[in-house]
Amino acid sequence: MLSTTQLQVFGVVAFYMSAALVMVFVNKAVLTSDPDLPLVFLLLQLLIAVALLHLSALVSKSVEIPRITLDATKKLFPVVFVNITGLAFNILCLRGVEASFFQIARGLVLPLTILVSWLHTPTNPVSVQIIAASAVVTCGFFLGVAPSAAVPLSSTPSFVSLFYGVLSSLFIAVHAVLIKTSLPYCSNSTIQLAWWTNAGSAVLLLPVVLFAGEFSVLQNKLYDGQWNATVFLYGSLITGIFGFLLCIAGLLSIRVTSPITHMFSSAARSVLQTLIGVAYFGDLINTNRAASILVILGGTMLYTWIKAAEAKKPPQPAPIDLEAQETDKLDLHDDGKE
């Protein structure tokens, strides 16, 4: 019989996996149905998430909506800008690739995160093992995007879609670094930071949607009696709700589970995502793509195992400074004489 702690871990992992899978496949269904409204779709998701945060604040005192100040706005602008840019490239990438290929297209998240973290704090050395794990993931990415005669032209992702995937991975990596430096400006509250990133991203995205002409496209669709808006509207509502839940699920997963458990759940989700993509969307999986997914997962789990092993190492004692000890002895001796 499972203990209470084991049940909590199982529940959180299942919750996280379910929310993440729903987000990917409902996003893909909407983008397949209405590929010309990706930014409007993203804007609705952000607004729904903000509305749910305000509703949660009314229900629970533990959810606190931050006060909007000019100082906080200036300091949090970088993390908000990087967040919405990454989300935009993310959804544009998903629009152009198959659901099962999406994880390959964004396969450089780990190597780029390691690189960006090192560039941000070059004083922190990166071990050879970490570099090796990063190299494995990078090889998996190039294995998946390499041209294959077994893949028909209709199933081959365009260069632009792959470019969006790489940019999405880069901005996710930068976002991960900026979160650490941005939390102090939100009273170290992840909920307040979630509000800032969602609300701020919606504000920054609005003029882009106007400039891209997607509101005009939406208006034409609304006046077109032949447009079936069911998938778009329900998809926006579902992804907005599950985007909010995914934020909570991610926090719970990090708090309740270990990094290794979290990584293995992500690996299991990737496998399920591939199987569902093949079964529901008819995605094509050839030897290259299957091997790519396995290599990326293997490199990611190797990285997690290395980091967990490094965390368990006892701290190294500070080197003994014999010269300083001799100086201290002389100082004590002089004090005694006086």
PDB file of all heavy atoms in Angstrom, residues 38-59:
ATOM      1  N   PRO A  38      -2.552  32.447 -34.678  1.00  0.00           N
ATOM      2  CA  PRO A  38      -1.748  31.933 -33.554  1.00  0.00           C
ATOM      3  C   PRO A  38      -1.558  32.945 -32.427  1.00  0.00           C
ATOM      4  O   PRO A  38      -1.592  32.579 -31.244  1.00  0.00           O
ATOM      5  CB  PRO A  38      -0.411  31.578 -34.213  1.00  0.00           C
ATOM      6  CG  PRO A  38      -0.336  32.463 -35.414  1.00  0.00           C
ATOM      7  CD  PRO A  38      -1.747  32.586 -35.903  1.00  0.00           C
ATOM      8  N   LEU A  39      -1.375  34.231 -32.760  1.00  0.00           N
ATOM      9  CA  LEU A  39      -1.106  35.234 -31.728  1.00  0.00           C
ATOM     10  C   LEU A  39      -2.373  35.633 -30.982  1.00  0.00           C
ATOM     11  O   LEU A  39      -2.335  35.895 -29.771  1.00  0.00           O
ATOM     12  CB  LEU A  39      -0.432  36.462 -32.354  1.00  0.00           C
ATOM     13  CG  LEU A  39       0.923  36.191 -33.020  1.00  0.00           C
ATOM     14  CD1 LEU A  39       1.515  37.477 -33.571  1.00  0.00           C
ATOM     15  CD2 LEU A  39       1.895  35.545 -32.030  1.00  0.00           C
ATOM     16  N   VAL A  40      -3.505  35.672 -31.681  1.00  0.00           N
ATOM     17  CA  VAL A  40      -4.786  35.917 -31.003  1.00  0.00           C
ATOM     18  C   VAL A  40      -5.073  34.780 -30.031  1.00  0.00           C
ATOM     19  O   VAL A  40      -5.532  34.998 -28.896  1.00  0.00           O
ATOM     20  CB  VAL A  40      -5.929  36.043 -32.028  1.00  0.00           C
ATOM     21  CG1 VAL A  40      -7.284  36.047 -31.326  1.00  0.00           C
ATOM     22  CG2 VAL A  40      -5.774  37.313 -32.844  1.00  0.00           C
ATOM     23  N   PHE A  41      -4.794  33.574 -30.475  1.00  0.00           N
ATOM     24  CA  PHE A  41      -4.970  32.386 -29.630  1.00  0.00           C
ATOM     25  C   PHE A  41      -4.107  32.478 -28.379  1.00  0.00           C
ATOM     26  O   PHE A  41      -4.573  32.224 -27.256  1.00  0.00           O
ATOM     27  CB  PHE A  41      -4.607  31.150 -30.462  1.00  0.00           C
ATOM     28  CG  PHE A  41      -4.716  29.849 -29.738  1.00  0.00           C
ATOM     29  CD1 PHE A  41      -5.826  29.530 -28.976  1.00  0.00           C
ATOM     30  CD2 PHE A  41      -3.703  28.904 -29.846  1.00  0.00           C
ATOM     31  CE1 PHE A  41      -5.924  28.312 -28.312  1.00  0.00           C
ATOM     32  CE2 PHE A  41      -3.797  27.693 -29.197  1.00  0.00           C
ATOM     33  CZ  PHE A  41      -4.901  27.396 -28.429  1.00  0.00           C
ATOM     34  N   LEU A  42      -2.847  32.881 -28.532  1.00  0.00           N
ATOM     35  CA  LEU A  42      -1.944  33.032 -27.392  1.00  0.00           C
ATOM     36  C   LEU A  42      -2.411  34.147 -26.469  1.00  0.00           C
ATOM     37  O   LEU A  42      -2.356  34.017 -25.239  1.00  0.00           O
ATOM     38  CB  LEU A  42      -0.533  33.313 -27.899  1.00  0.00           C
ATOM     39  CG  LEU A  42       0.554  33.556 -26.850  1.00  0.00           C
ATOM     40  CD1 LEU A  42       0.669  32.382 -25.897  1.00  0.00           C
ATOM     41  CD2 LEU A  42       1.894  33.838 -27.533  1.00  0.00           C
ATOM     42  N   LEU A  43      -2.895  35.258 -27.041  1.00  0.00           N
ATOM     43  CA  LEU A  43      -3.378  36.382 -26.242  1.00  0.00           C
ATOM     44  C   LEU A  43      -4.559  35.964 -25.362  1.00  0.00           C
ATOM     45  O   LEU A  43      -4.623  36.326 -24.174  1.00  0.00           O
ATOM     46  CB  LEU A  43      -3.786  37.538 -27.157  1.00  0.00           C
ATOM     47  CG  LEU A  43      -4.332  38.795 -26.474  1.00  0.00           C
ATOM     48  CD1 LEU A  43      -3.292  39.414 -25.560  1.00  0.00           C
ATOM     49  CD2 LEU A  43      -4.795  39.807 -27.522  1.00  0.00           C
ATOM     50  N   LEU A  44      -5.486  35.200 -25.914  1.00  0.00           N
ATOM     51  CA  LEU A  44      -6.626  34.719 -25.138  1.00  0.00           C
ATOM     52  C   LEU A  44      -6.165  33.821 -23.989  1.00  0.00           C
ATOM     53  O   LEU A  44      -6.705  33.891 -22.879  1.00  0.00           O
ATOM     54  CB  LEU A  44      -7.603  33.964 -26.049  1.00  0.00           C
ATOM     55  CG  LEU A  44      -8.398  34.826 -27.034  1.00  0.00           C
ATOM     56  CD1 LEU A  44      -9.225  33.948 -27.962  1.00  0.00           C
ATOM     57  CD2 LEU A  44      -9.298  35.809 -26.293  1.00  0.00           C
ATOM     58  N   GLN A  45      -5.182  32.971 -24.229  1.00  0.00           N
ATOM     59  CA  GLN A  45      -4.642  32.107 -23.173  1.00  0.00           C
ATOM     60  C   GLN A  45      -4.105  32.942 -22.013  1.00  0.00           C
ATOM     61  O   GLN A  45      -4.370  32.650 -20.835  1.00  0.00           O
ATOM     62  CB  GLN A  45      -3.524  31.227 -23.724  1.00  0.00           C
ATOM     63  CG  GLN A  45      -3.979  30.127 -24.673  1.00  0.00           C
ATOM     64  CD  GLN A  45      -2.818  29.287 -25.139  1.00  0.00           C
ATOM     65  OE1 GLN A  45      -1.732  29.317 -24.576  1.00  0.00           O
ATOM     66  NE2 GLN A  45      -3.024  28.519 -26.191  1.00  0.00           N
ATOM     67  N   LEU A  46      -3.355  33.988 -22.341  1.00  0.00           N
ATOM     68  CA  LEU A  46      -2.764  34.841 -21.309  1.00  0.00           C
ATOM     69  C   LEU A  46      -3.835  35.567 -20.505  1.00  0.00           C
ATOM     70  O   LEU A  46      -3.758  35.649 -19.265  1.00  0.00           O
ATOM     71  CB  LEU A  46      -1.816  35.857 -21.956  1.00  0.00           C
ATOM     72  CG  LEU A  46      -0.570  35.278 -22.633  1.00  0.00           C
ATOM     73  CD1 LEU A  46       0.135  36.355 -23.453  1.00  0.00           C
ATOM     74  CD2 LEU A  46       0.383  34.696 -21.599  1.00  0.00           C
ATOM     75  N   LEU A  47      -4.851  36.097 -21.191  1.00  0.00           N
ATOM     76  CA  LEU A  47      -5.923  36.830 -20.499  1.00  0.00           C
ATOM     77  C   LEU A  47      -6.724  35.908 -19.589  1.00  0.00           C
ATOM     78  O   LEU A  47      -7.106  36.301 -18.475  1.00  0.00           O
ATOM     79  CB  LEU A  47      -6.840  37.492 -21.539  1.00  0.00           C
ATOM     80  CG  LEU A  47      -6.204  38.619 -22.361  1.00  0.00           C
ATOM     81  CD1 LEU A  47      -7.183  39.108 -23.427  1.00  0.00           C
ATOM     82  CD2 LEU A  47      -5.773  39.770 -21.462  1.00  0.00           C
ATOM     83  N   ILE A  48      -6.962  34.683 -20.030  1.00  0.00           N
ATOM     84  CA  ILE A  48      -7.688  33.715 -19.194  1.00  0.00           C
ATOM     85  C   ILE A  48      -6.866  33.365 -17.962  1.00  0.00           C
ATOM     86  O   ILE A  48      -7.399  33.272 -16.846  1.00  0.00           O
ATOM     87  CB  ILE A  48      -8.030  32.444 -20.008  1.00  0.00           C
ATOM     88  CG1 ILE A  48      -9.089  32.771 -21.070  1.00  0.00           C
ATOM     89  CG2 ILE A  48      -8.535  31.326 -19.097  1.00  0.00           C
ATOM     90  CD1 ILE A  48      -9.332  31.655 -22.055  1.00  0.00           C
ATOM     91  N   ALA A  49      -5.555  33.188 -18.135  1.00  0.00           N
ATOM     92  CA  ALA A  49      -4.687  32.881 -16.996  1.00  0.00           C
ATOM     93  C   ALA A  49      -4.688  34.021 -15.972  1.00  0.00           C
ATOM     94  O   ALA A  49      -4.744  33.785 -14.758  1.00  0.00           O
ATOM     95  CB  ALA A  49      -3.265  32.602 -17.484  1.00  0.00           C
ATOM     96  N   VAL A  50      -4.653  35.270 -16.454  1.00  0.00           N
ATOM     97  CA  VAL A  50      -4.693  36.433 -15.546  1.00  0.00           C
ATOM     98  C   VAL A  50      -6.029  36.476 -14.805  1.00  0.00           C
ATOM     99  O   VAL A  50      -6.069  36.716 -13.589  1.00  0.00           O
ATOM    100  CB  VAL A  50      -4.467  37.737 -16.328  1.00  0.00           C
ATOM    101  CG1 VAL A  50      -4.699  38.949 -15.428  1.00  0.00           C
ATOM    102  CG2 VAL A  50      -3.060  37.778 -16.907  1.00  0.00           C
ATOM    103  N   ALA A  51      -7.122  36.235 -15.525  1.00  0.00           N
ATOM    104  CA  ALA A  51      -8.449  36.240 -14.897  1.00  0.00           C
ATOM    105  C   ALA A  51      -8.537  35.160 -13.818  1.00  0.00           C
ATOM    106  O   ALA A  51      -9.102  35.397 -12.733  1.00  0.00           O
ATOM    107  CB  ALA A  51      -9.519  36.019 -15.959  1.00  0.00           C
ATOM    108  N   LEU A  52      -7.965  33.990 -14.075  1.00  0.00           N
ATOM    109  CA  LEU A  52      -7.997  32.906 -13.092  1.00  0.00           C
ATOM    110  C   LEU A  52      -7.130  33.229 -11.877  1.00  0.00           C
ATOM    111  O   LEU A  52      -7.466  32.835 -10.751  1.00  0.00           O
ATOM    112  CB  LEU A  52      -7.532  31.602 -13.744  1.00  0.00           C
ATOM    113  CG  LEU A  52      -8.514  30.981 -14.738  1.00  0.00           C
ATOM    114  CD1 LEU A  52      -7.885  29.783 -15.443  1.00  0.00           C
ATOM    115  CD2 LEU A  52      -9.800  30.559 -14.034  1.00  0.00           C
ATOM    116  N   LEU A  53      -6.037  33.939 -12.072  1.00  0.00           N
ATOM    117  CA  LEU A  53      -5.213  34.361 -10.941  1.00  0.00           C
ATOM    118  C   LEU A  53      -5.985  35.322 -10.043  1.00  0.00           C
ATOM    119  O   LEU A  53      -5.930  35.229  -8.810  1.00  0.00           O
ATOM    120  CB  LEU A  53      -3.921  35.010 -11.437  1.00  0.00           C
ATOM    121  CG  LEU A  53      -2.819  34.054 -11.916  1.00  0.00           C
ATOM    122  CD1 LEU A  53      -1.712  34.820 -12.626  1.00  0.00           C
ATOM    123  CD2 LEU A  53      -2.231  33.278 -10.742  1.00  0.00           C
ATOM    124  N   HIS A  54      -6.716  36.265 -10.646  1.00  0.00           N
ATOM    125  CA  HIS A  54      -7.527  37.200  -9.854  1.00  0.00           C
ATOM    126  C   HIS A  54      -8.657  36.467  -9.137  1.00  0.00           C
ATOM    127  O   HIS A  54      -8.964  36.775  -7.973  1.00  0.00           O
ATOM    128  CB  HIS A  54      -8.100  38.289 -10.758  1.00  0.00           C
ATOM    129  CG  HIS A  54      -7.134  39.383 -11.079  1.00  0.00           C
ATOM    130  ND1 HIS A  54      -6.966  40.493 -10.272  1.00  0.00           N
ATOM    131  CD2 HIS A  54      -6.265  39.532 -12.114  1.00  0.00           C
ATOM    132  CE1 HIS A  54      -6.049  41.278 -10.792  1.00  0.00           C
ATOM    133  NE2 HIS A  54      -5.608  40.726 -11.915  1.00  0.00           N
ATOM    134  N   LEU A  55      -9.262  35.493  -9.808  1.00  0.00           N
ATOM    135  CA  LEU A  55     -10.316  34.702  -9.170  1.00  0.00           C
ATOM    136  C   LEU A  55      -9.754  33.900  -8.001  1.00  0.00           C
ATOM    137  O   LEU A  55     -10.385  33.796  -6.943  1.00  0.00           O
ATOM    138  CB  LEU A  55     -10.944  33.766 -10.206  1.00  0.00           C
ATOM    139  CG  LEU A  55     -12.120  32.903  -9.730  1.00  0.00           C
ATOM    140  CD1 LEU A  55     -13.281  33.785  -9.275  1.00  0.00           C
ATOM    141  CD2 LEU A  55     -12.574  31.959 -10.843  1.00  0.00           C
ATOM    142  N   SER A  56      -8.557  33.350  -8.178  1.00  0.00           N
ATOM    143  CA  SER A  56      -7.918  32.592  -7.093  1.00  0.00           C
ATOM    144  C   SER A  56      -7.607  33.485  -5.901  1.00  0.00           C
ATOM    145  O   SER A  56      -7.701  33.057  -4.752  1.00  0.00           O
ATOM    146  CB  SER A  56      -6.630  31.940  -7.604  1.00  0.00           C
ATOM    147  OG  SER A  56      -6.885  31.071  -8.681  1.00  0.00           O
ATOM    148  N   ALA A  57      -7.233  34.741  -6.185  1.00  0.00           N
ATOM    149  CA  ALA A  57      -6.933  35.679  -5.103  1.00  0.00           C
ATOM    150  C   ALA A  57      -8.180  35.990  -4.275  1.00  0.00           C
ATOM    151  O   ALA A  57      -8.090  36.247  -3.070  1.00  0.00           O
ATOM    152  CB  ALA A  57      -6.337  36.960  -5.674  1.00  0.00           C
ATOM    153  N   LEU A  58      -9.354  35.972  -4.919  1.00  0.00           N
ATOM    154  CA  LEU A  58     -10.604  36.205  -4.199  1.00  0.00           C
ATOM    155  C   LEU A  58     -10.969  35.020  -3.320  1.00  0.00           C
ATOM    156  O   LEU A  58     -11.576  35.182  -2.261  1.00  0.00           O
ATOM    157  CB  LEU A  58     -11.740  36.476  -5.192  1.00  0.00           C
ATOM    158  CG  LEU A  58     -11.636  37.764  -6.017  1.00  0.00           C
ATOM    159  CD1 LEU A  58     -12.770  37.843  -7.028  1.00  0.00           C
ATOM    160  CD2 LEU A  58     -11.641  38.994  -5.108  1.00  0.00           C
ATOM    161  N   VAL A  59     -10.573  33.815  -3.776  1.00  0.00           N
ATOM    162  CA  VAL A  59     -10.944  32.592  -3.062  1.00  0.00           C
ATOM    163  C   VAL A  59      -9.938  32.266  -1.964  1.00  0.00           C
ATOM    164  O   VAL A  59     -10.312  31.829  -0.880  1.00  0.00           O
ATOM    165  CB  VAL A  59     -11.060  31.409  -4.050  1.00  0.00           C
ATOM    166  CG1 VAL A  59     -11.316  30.098  -3.302  1.00  0.00           C
ATOM    167  CG2 VAL A  59     -12.149  31.675  -5.070  1.00  0.00           C
TER     168      VAL A  59
END
